[in-house]
Amino acid sequence: MFCSVILRGAVRQTDSLYTYRIPDELSDSVTAGSLVSVPFGNGNAERCGVVVDLSDSFDGDESKLKDIKSLMSSLPVLNSDQIELISRISERFNCTRGDAVELMVPSCVVNHKDPMEVYVELVSEKDALAVLESEKLRAISHINILEYLLKRGKCTRKEIMASLSCSASQIKALENKGLVRLVKEVSSEELSAVNDVKEAPSGKFTEEYDLSGEQRNAVEKILEGIEEKKDKTYLLFGITGSGKTEVYLNIAKKVISEGGSVIYMVPEISLTPQTINWIKGRLGDNVAVLHSRLTDKQRYEQWNNIRTGKARVVVGPRSGVFAPAVDLRLIILDEEHDGSYKAESHPRYSARDIARMRAKITGCSVVLGSATPSVESFYAANAGAFQLLELKERARQDARLPEIVPVDMKEQIKLGSGDMLSIPLRQAMSVAFSENKQVILLLNRRGFSRTLICGDCGEPVTCRNCSVPMTLHNNRRSGTQSLICHYCGYTFPSYEARCSVCNGTHFTKAGFGTQQLEEFLHNLFPHEKVLRMDQDSTMTPGAHKEIIDKFANKEASILIGTQMIAKGLDFPDVTVVGVLGADLMLASSSFKASERAFQLITQAAGRAGRGDAPGKVFIQSYRPEQPLFQYACSQNYRAFYEQEIEYRQKLKLPPFKAVGEIVLSLPDETLLSQRANELAKYLKDFLGYQDSRYQFEVYGPIPCVIYELRGKYRMSFVIKAVNKSAINSVFKRLITDFDHTKYPMSFDNDPQDG
Ligand code: ADP
Ligand code: ZN
């Protein structure tokens, strides 16, 4: 027997299908999906790979084939639908098939050794009894062993040796006499599952509601699709508090009651013990949870329960989409717009896209849920590619919306408040502290991205070609500052800036970071404790949860956070929420900026004041009259969408055209600009020759918003084209034509941050 193997984590040079011979002793156990260890290359270094295909014959020189060295896991690690997914992932996300295997076979699986135990059993009870009665056996230990086995049946050699204080050679002697048999098996201990969340779900977690009419309609429609097995995708668009979770739980329950499996993804930040308990309380014990706080052993156990079908529901963040679910019938993405569903390191996959790929292969249904869907998803729903299901009513009649207070920062600065905290917000904070309540201050994630804002009218400086805000860059060599457009690369020195609305020349630099804000708060409220949550304070796994737990236990009265905490705003004692730097969110160079700002503010507005005390949300802006803020305050997603889709169409941005980003990074700045120019020339020449139906456009080189990162300087190129596969074809070209060691490039066909 022969098999084809893909090496796990293969680089481009080793990303082939390699044929190996299956030695006789493994021919019964190796199948498609098996994890194997193989000798590779001239030195026969041991590599780990996955079998994707078996065959009886090999048309080539058999004598050159190597044997598989060993089987690393007694059960296959991939299902057939996952094997099919490998090349689709590699195609779509510009990675090797080996990278795709690595995504689906996490390291906890590779590092796990099936613990084999030696078991001892009687060859025949009758013979054993006869031998004992005949008194032929002299050694007392031999008699003891047989009696032990007669009483207990098959047991491990370890146990016999420990209980009877005998040796392995004494057992071996009985084997030689043909009385007992030694067998190697996976230890039964391994099959018992340990769990990190052990508390019994309390009543409140298991409560079931009578569904509202809207909820019932959504559940029925989705169940019809699941029944048909025709890879349908639903967009469950429901305002905050409309009870989307209840819809997920009802459909999931139905699927598992019929023997199918469900993948239920939530943003990592929402994987709190409360959420997990709630889901377990409702769906029973066959729920596996994957999150970043698991040890390797726990993670393996969860993964193994999914693979064996013991767990029927997989709850996890974006990596959950790769789970080896058996008979997959439903994939749920809660908060489908959330940025965490997109991987920001190689391979830059999107869990939403992978969910749809799995649906195409298995016929399962996909449910995307959100109060503020991504513009792309809502567009797809309007175009009929997804089925739109709407929840317009709040599930609980007593739920109250907080009061929204737009604050004009131009006035506040004139009144002497400075640009961080306005006077009304400070006053509300003082009141909250005096009542033992808590405050959350949201500050745009890209606090380091700066722009110039007109001191007279509040308008940011915009690009003359693209009408998007320009980003301020320090030129370290000359000590001057430039404004750069991150779409077209248009650049001019900052002293030449003119306001495009009022022609003003007085500008304020907008943008302060979370650390500055923290210092400021220490001075302003010296008796209040502050917690900060941003990319720096959450580098380690579990750091998120620790901060959230501390705040929930009221160890601090102020939480400063970037949009990562928007979903975590569910603290009953929070009565005041401040949205700071709202303009900066919009001034970020990403085409997703408005969308992100809208989502963040809507979420804040929907969640503050969840307890008995009503909440207040302050939105600090230089232009509080902007429609986007009005739409967010009134939770008017459709109005926002109409405005946004028009803008995207005008600028030919997704979903109208696909955007791709190439980042070139090198430790030497001079070399970087030289090679960036070579790349630019190549791209412009090459794309200039392409058929116009691909609608290629190329921009760059443009310094990245974060120009210097981990000792490297970074320049980017942006390509637009009719669709993602056109973008991918350019990436492929660059991969083959440029030496990766000289031109280290990363590729992204779905950039989120720009
Ligand atoms: P969403 O996820 O849409 O923001 P949730 O699922 O968190 O909303 O539901 C909001 C609240 O309404 C929760 O407290 C939930 O328990 C409650 N709820 C959901 N469905 C119903 C229902 N049919 N009847 C009463 N309360 C409900
Ligand atoms: Zn421009």
Side-chain angles (χ1 to χ4, degrees):
M1 285 284 275
F2 307 93
C3 63
S4 311
V5 172
I6 295 177
L7 301 180
R8 181 178 177 277
V11 294
R12 296 205 183 264
Q13 292 78 358
T14 58
D15 197 36
S16 306
L17 284 180
Y18 294 102
T19 305
Y20 282 88
R21 190 184 306 104
I22 305 174
D24 285 346
E25 70 270 22
L26 292 179
S27 62
D28 286 342
S29 32
V30 171
T31 67
S34 287
L35 187 66
V36 292
S37 166
V38 293
F40 187 73
N42 293 337
N44 282 336
E46 208 173 303
R47 292 287 305 262
C48 152
V50 164
V51 173
V52 292
D53 204 9
L54 296 178
S55 69
D56 293 325
S57 59
F58 173 69
D59 31 273
D61 185 354
E62 264 193 52
S63 67
K64 291 216 172 103
L65 288 184
K66 295 176 190 173
D67 276 11
I68 279 182
K69 186 157 178 287
S70 64
L71 183 61
M72 295 173 70
S73 164
S74 41
L75 289 174
V77 294
L78 294 182
N79 297 328
S80 56
D81 73 287
Q82 291 177 294
I83 294 176
E84 225 179 305
L85 201 56
I86 296 173
S87 36
R88 298 196 194 197
I89 291 177
S90 128
E91 217 21 60
R92 177 65 173 268
F93 299 105
N94 307 291
C95 62
T96 63
R97 283 176 290 187
D99 287 331
V101 167
E102 196 167 342
L103 290 172
M104 289 190 270
V105 184
S107 56
C108 68
V109 175
V110 176
N111 297 336
H112 177 84
K113 304 264 173 299
D114 280 348
M116 292 299 226
E117 282 272 19
V118 179
Y119 286 82
V120 185
E121 64 184 354
L122 291 171
V123 172
S124 131
E125 280 194 18
K126 220 172 86 206
D127 291 353
L129 278 171
V131 171
L132 285 173
E133 272 166 23
S134 70
E135 298 186 359
K136 273 191 203 145
L137 287 179
R138 303 255 171 74
I140 184 77
S141 60
H142 292 172
I143 296 169
N144 286 344
I145 294 168
L146 290 186
E147 284 181 340
Y148 194 85
L149 288 170
L150 276 168
K151 204 162 8 156
R152 311 243 167 155
K154 178 167 125 184
C155 50
T156 66
R157 183 167 63 183
K158 216 164 55 192
E159 178 186 333
I160 298 177
M161 285 160 63
S163 316
L164 305 177
S165 330
C166 65
S167 67
S169 60
Q170 288 164 329
I171 299 174
K172 179 86 183 144
L174 284 175
E175 188 189 21
N176 292 344
K177 287 181 199 292
L179 290 167
V180 303
R181 195 164 31 219
L182 299 185
V183 280
K184 264 189 175 177
E185 274 178 22
V186 179
S187 109
S188 54
E189 279 165 47
E190 199 47 33
L191 304 171
S192 77
V194 218
N195 229 320
D196 73 325
V197 193
K198 270 289 182 224
E199 313 103 77
S202 61
K204 114 168 190 258
F205 290 133
T206 48
E207 192 175 349
E208 259 182 71
Y209 300 100
D210 293 331
L211 296 183
S212 69
E214 288 180 333
Q215 284 173 322
R216 205 172 328 115
N217 174 54
V219 168
E220 280 166 11
K221 289 270 161 50
I222 297 168
L223 287 178
E224 274 168 30
I226 294 172
E227 198 76 20
E228 285 173 13
K229 298 199 174 166
K230 283 204 183 127
D231 72 82
K232 290 205 84 168
T233 298
Y234 298 88
L235 179 60
L236 182 63
F237 167 45
I239 56 170
T240 42
S242 59
K244 294 184 285 295
T245 314
E246 205 53 37
V247 173
Y248 306 144
L249 293 173
N250 272 276
I251 51 178
K253 197 166 183 171
K254 179 83 177 166
V255 169
I256 54 179
S257 76
E258 289 172 356
S261 288
V262 181
I263 293 177
Y264 184 168
M265 281 179 277
V266 297
E268 169 82 39
I269 189 75
S270 354
L271 274 175
T272 58
Q274 291 93 303
T275 320
I276 296 169
N277 264 339
W278 190 10
I279 297 175
K280 286 194 171 176
R282 287 290 293 280
L283 297 179
D285 283 337
N286 46 10
V287 175
V289 184
L290 302 168
H291 57 72
S292 59
R293 306 184 300 281
L294 297 179
T295 63
D296 240 25
K297 185 168 165 23
Q298 290 170 323
R299 186 180 301 276
Y300 175 78
E301 249 156 22
Q302 298 296 312
W303 183 90
N304 197 41
N305 285 345
I306 300 163
R307 168 180 60 167
T308 55
K310 188 171 161 194
R312 285 296 178 173
V313 182
V314 185
V315 179
R318 69 165 176 262
S319 58
V321 79
F322 298 112
V326 179
D327 193 3
L328 180 62
R329 293 192 203 163
L330 172 64
I331 304 178
I332 298 167
L333 266 98
D334 186 23
E335 310 286 337
E336 69 92 26
H337 61 273
D338 197 278
S340 71
Y341 287 126
K342 167 79 194 299
E344 285 306 336
S345 58
H346 182 80
R348 296 178 179 238
Y349 70 88
S350 135
R352 204 196 309 155
D353 290 353
I354 303 236
R356 304 247 304 131
M357 287 176 175
R358 284 195 88 165
K360 288 224 171 69
I361 297 170
T362 60
C364 76
S365 291
V366 177
V367 175
L368 309 173
S370 177
T372 52
S374 62
V375 169
E376 288 87 339
S377 293
F378 204 70
Y379 182 80
N382 281 341
F386 302 169
Q387 186 172 344
L388 184 66
L389 299 168
E390 230 176 314
L391 306 179
K392 293 179 185 152
E393 305 283 324
R394 234 155 265 279
R396 277 172 38 189
Q397 303 307 326
D398 57 345
R400 269 178 300 174
L401 276 179
E403 187 189 338
I404 314 265
V405 188
V407 182
D408 187 336
M409 289 310 284
K410 292 195 299 293
E411 271 168 34
Q412 292 294 315
I413 291 172
K414 283 181 196 146
L415 291 172
S417 77
D419 66 347
M420 288 201 201
L421 289 183
S422 62
I423 295 161
L425 176 53
R426 287 183 203 192
Q427 285 169 343
M429 287 171 76
S430 299
V431 173
F433 300 144
S434 71
E435 293 171 345
N436 195 22
K437 300 291 184 197
Q438 293 172 296
V439 174
I440 289 179
L441 300 178
L442 292 166
L443 183 60
N444 134 48
R445 185 156 81 100
R446 302 179 77 82
F448 39 76
S449 125
R450 311 216 160 174
T451 191
L452 291 183
I453 288 191
C454 175
D456 299 322
C457 73
E459 203 51 50
V461 180
T462 50
C463 172
R464 60 167 187 200
N465 306 323
C466 319
S467 71
V468 299
M470 309 279 289
T471 306
L472 198 60
H473 282 257
N474 288 326
N475 190 328
R476 296 180 323 125
R477 288 186 180 166
S478 62
T480 57
Q481 290 188 315
S482 312
L483 285 160
I484 301 178
C485 168
H486 277 257
Y487 280 119
C488 70
Y490 177 57
T491 306
F492 57 84
S494 61
Y495 57 80
E496 282 183 11
R498 288 281 172 287
C499 175
S500 56
V501 173
C502 72
N503 220 17
T505 52
H506 301 286
F507 292 96
T508 31
K509 256 176 245 172
F512 51 88
T514 39
Q515 291 175 10
Q516 276 161 286
L517 177 64
E518 189 175 2
E519 266 166 45
F520 184 76
L521 287 166
H522 281 312
N523 293 330
L524 195 64
F525 298 107
H527 302 295
E528 303 300 331
K529 197 161 173 337
V530 181
L531 286 168
R532 180 165 60 87
M533 173 129 104
D534 55 22
Q535 275 157 328
D536 301 325
S537 68
T538 53
M539 297 293 240
T540 52
H544 273 143
K545 186 182 168 286
E546 206 174 295
I547 297 173
I548 296 261
D549 285 351
K550 274 192 183 159
F551 194 62
N553 294 334
K554 299 193 77 171
E555 286 173 42
S557 51
I558 308 175
L559 175 63
I560 313 177
T562 53
Q563 57 228 51
M564 33 171 106
I565 57 166
K567 183 69 192 182
L569 284 171
D570 213 346
F571 304 101
D573 278 330
V574 170
T575 52
V576 174
V577 172
V579 180
L580 315 185
D583 306 288
L584 268 194
M585 288 191 248
L586 302 179
S588 134
S589 59
S590 160
F591 72 85
K592 290 240 175 212
S594 304
E595 185 179 329
R596 295 258 180 265
F598 180 81
Q599 286 157 354
L600 179 60
I601 298 171
T602 311
Q603 227 150 16
R607 288 184 182 263
R610 285 224 143 186
D612 298 330
K616 261 192 177 182
V617 178
F618 294 84
I619 300 176
Q620 297 192 165
S621 162
Y622 290 88
R623 289 180 298 164
E625 70 289 348
Q626 282 183 92
L628 181 135
F629 297 141
Q630 311 296 327
Y631 300 151
C633 293
S634 56
Q635 306 240 348
N636 192 347
Y637 175 81
R638 279 179 191 273
F640 158 76
Y641 173 80
E642 294 305 333
Q643 174 190 309
E644 183 66 14
I645 201 80
E646 199 179 303
Y647 160 80
R648 300 258 183 115
Q649 184 149 33
K650 206 169 92 202
L651 285 185
K652 301 208 185 72
L653 289 165
F656 300 99
K657 275 180 92 168
V659 173
E661 189 186 37
I662 301 157
V663 173
L664 177 68
S665 53
L666 284 166
D668 182 327
E669 230 180 328
T670 320
L671 216 52
L672 174 68
S673 74
Q674 192 186 319
R675 291 189 180 155
N677 287 330
E678 288 166 26
L679 267 182
K681 182 165 183 329
Y682 175 92
L683 278 170
K684 279 169 192 157
D685 286 351
F686 171 62
L687 295 179
Y689 282 116
Q690 301 303 306
D691 193 321
S692 63
R693 75 194 144 103
Y694 295 118
Q695 301 173 28
F696 281 120
E697 293 170 59
V698 56
Y699 304 94
I702 308 168
C704 293
V705 177
I706 313 172
Y707 176 54
E708 210 182 325
L709 186 70
R710 289 182 221 111
K712 288 191 179 147
Y713 300 96
R714 306 168 348 124
M715 292 279 215
S716 72
F717 296 86
V718 172
I719 304 171
K720 284 193 205 166
V722 66
N723 56 28
K724 277 190 191 168
S725 56
I727 299 269
N728 282 344
S729 69
V730 180
F731 291 170
K732 287 213 173 74
R733 211 36 214 244
L734 291 171
I735 288 165
T736 37
D737 288 1
F738 285 86
D739 177 358
H740 182 78
T741 53
K742 282 195 185 143
Y743 298 82
M745 289 178 268
S746 69
F747 302 95
D748 193 342
N749 61 24
D750 183 23
Q752 300 287 307
D753 279 330

